[in-house]
Amino acid sequence: MHPRLDIIIVNWNSGHQLQCCLNSILRADKESFIVERVVVVDNASTDGSAEGVEDFDLPLCLIHNIENRGFAAACNQGAKGSKADYLLFLNPDTCLFKDSLTKPLTFMEQKENRNIGILGIQLVDDNGQISHTCARFPTPGRFFSKMFGLDRLFPKLFPSHFMTEWDHREGRVVDQVIGAFFLVRRSIFEDLGGFDERFFVYFEDLDFALRARQAGWHNFYLADVQAYHKGGGTSEQVKATRLFYSLRSRILYGYKHFGWWSATGLMLGTLLLEPLTRIAWAVIRRSGRDIIETINGYFMLWRALPALLEATRKCDKL
């Protein structure tokens, strides 16, 4: 019996990218599995990007949210009610190639891979270059080295979160594969309760990968199959907002997975020290825009501090 697949795409002002993504799904080979649903969850886009998607010759389900519920919540929304064997969370700024679906599903169906819970594939950029998309589970020390730019100054002594020293040309078990192409067994997704919706965006895939590992599952990077990924996605449009949510999610992640002292140190370092180092790096690069985006992003973070502290208190209780 062929495995069944649901594809979930969360859209927010992705412009023409969503149409390209859906076109690529349409053109991809599907002879060895069944696409049960392609679910597009539109998070209150204002650019008309979700209009007309019902016209694609796909088993498409479009969910319109009247407000931006965040990435994790929208993914859970799209996965709800699924009866498929696998869920593929796919960013709208990706385009599949002919074998982008067949090879990963064939790999997951092999008996020797039944302990693999999450699968990512090789992603290439506009120039056809392989993106370094796999990452390590972060530690407090790794976050601090990033705050001060030590991972960039001394990468051998302070390895970065992303495995940039590895060329990503061979498959292997890794800590985390990027959420742009995130294939997961539905049973695991349900057992773990889906993505943690407290992460509005960013770190929800990392948190899920860690919980899957703690539950005994492996995360695997499959290198002999590719898809295109623009990278940055629609969040490139709002860099200060992206910085805000990234830092917010990092603090939440710390309180969820680190000890209280480490998490509190991470929060204080993020709030008090990192803005200075970020501005210093921006000055070195002579980027006035980066300075402004940094100030705006941290203004949003400080303004959201009361709600963030409440959220961290709930994380601390987990």
Side-chain angles (χ1 to χ4, degrees):
M1 181 178 292
H2 290 329
R4 297 167 299 163
L5 173 71
D6 276 359
I7 302 174
I8 294 112
I9 303 169
V10 176
N11 181 62
W12 179 75
N13 290 339
S14 65
H16 72 285
Q17 294 175 349
L18 176 61
Q19 304 274 333
C20 295
C21 179
L22 292 171
N23 260 321
S24 73
I25 295 172
L26 199 59
R27 293 193 302 265
D29 289 338
K30 309 178 190 66
E31 70 274 8
S32 60
F33 62 95
I34 299 167
V35 177
E36 287 208 331
R37 300 188 306 163
V38 177
V39 185
V40 175
V41 184
D42 184 63
N43 261 338
S45 294
T46 57
D47 66 344
S49 53
E51 295 177 4
V53 298
E54 300 99 328
D55 298 335
F56 280 86
D57 186 18
L58 291 166
L60 209 138
C61 172
L62 177 62
I63 300 173
H64 275 296
N65 287 331
I66 59 173
E67 61 180 5
N68 189 345
R69 295 189 57 192
F71 183 76
C75 284
N76 290 345
Q77 205 177 352
K80 188 175 181 180
S82 173
K83 305 296 183 187
D85 302 297
Y86 296 94
L87 301 171
L88 173 61
F89 297 94
L90 189 65
N91 278 11
D93 63 341
T94 59
C95 281
L96 303 181
F97 301 147
K98 291 292 272 186
D99 59 356
S100 295
L101 295 176
T102 52
K103 283 189 175 180
L105 287 166
T106 300
F107 180 86
M108 292 290 271
E109 284 289 289
Q110 293 170 355
K111 287 184 179 178
E112 62 268 30
N113 298 325
R114 58 179 175 266
N115 63 341
I116 294 172
I118 302 168
L119 183 78
I121 65 174
Q122 194 176 78
L123 300 176
V124 296
D125 62 16
D126 288 313
N127 300 315
Q129 298 298 311
I130 299 170
S131 302
H132 295 172
T133 52
C134 296
R136 305 171 177 85
F137 292 132
T139 62
R142 189 157 287 137
F143 278 132
F144 275 102
S145 71
K146 180 176 176 57
M147 282 183 200
F148 297 106
L150 297 177
D151 57 334
R152 282 184 281 182
L153 292 172
F154 310 103
K156 291 185 178 179
L157 288 175
F158 303 96
S160 66
H161 171 57
F162 282 98
M163 302 172 74
T164 53
E165 77 286 356
W166 169 41
D167 62 11
H168 284 57
R169 292 183 184 277
E170 80 280 359
R172 62 166 71 170
V173 172
V174 296
D175 286 349
Q176 182 212 355
V177 296
I178 192 172
F181 186 105
F182 199 84
L183 180 66
V184 58
R185 299 181 193 273
R186 179 180 57 83
S187 58
I188 301 173
F189 192 78
E190 290 181 347
D191 289 345
L192 297 180
F195 291 114
D196 186 337
E197 297 184 9
R198 286 170 298 190
F199 298 98
F200 187 85
V201 65
Y202 302 124
F203 285 72
E204 69 288 321
D205 50 353
L206 175 63
D207 167 70
F208 187 89
L210 178 57
R211 289 188 287 132
R213 173 67 65 83
Q214 290 168 341
W217 295 96
H218 291 301
N219 306 309
F220 196 88
Y221 170 78
L222 189 63
D224 64 350
V225 57
Q226 295 182 326
Y228 165 77
H229 180 221
K230 177 176 174 52
T234 52
S235 61
E236 279 287 339
Q237 306 166 26
V238 284
K239 287 188 174 181
T241 304
R242 183 175 67 174
L243 174 62
F244 159 63
Y245 280 118
S246 175
L247 298 175
R248 178 186 181 278
S249 289
R250 178 206 291 173
I251 292 170
L252 288 172
Y253 183 91
Y255 276 97
K256 185 170 182 178
H257 294 293
F258 302 153
W260 187 87
W261 287 105
S262 294
T264 301
L266 175 64
M267 181 179 69
L268 293 175
T270 300
L271 290 169
L272 303 174
L273 299 178
E274 189 169 357
L276 302 178
T277 60
R278 281 183 175 273
I279 289 173
W281 279 104
V283 170
I284 291 171
R285 292 194 303 272
R286 297 181 181 179
S287 174
R289 182 185 175 190
D290 283 355
I291 294 172
I292 293 171
E293 299 285 3
T294 298
I295 292 172
N296 288 340
Y298 270 93
F299 175 75
M300 295 167 69
L301 185 65
W302 277 95
R303 191 172 57 180
L305 193 56
L308 178 58
L309 290 173
E310 176 63 19
T312 58
R313 188 180 64 81
K314 292 176 181 175
C315 282
D316 196 34
K317 286 183 176 179
L318 291 175

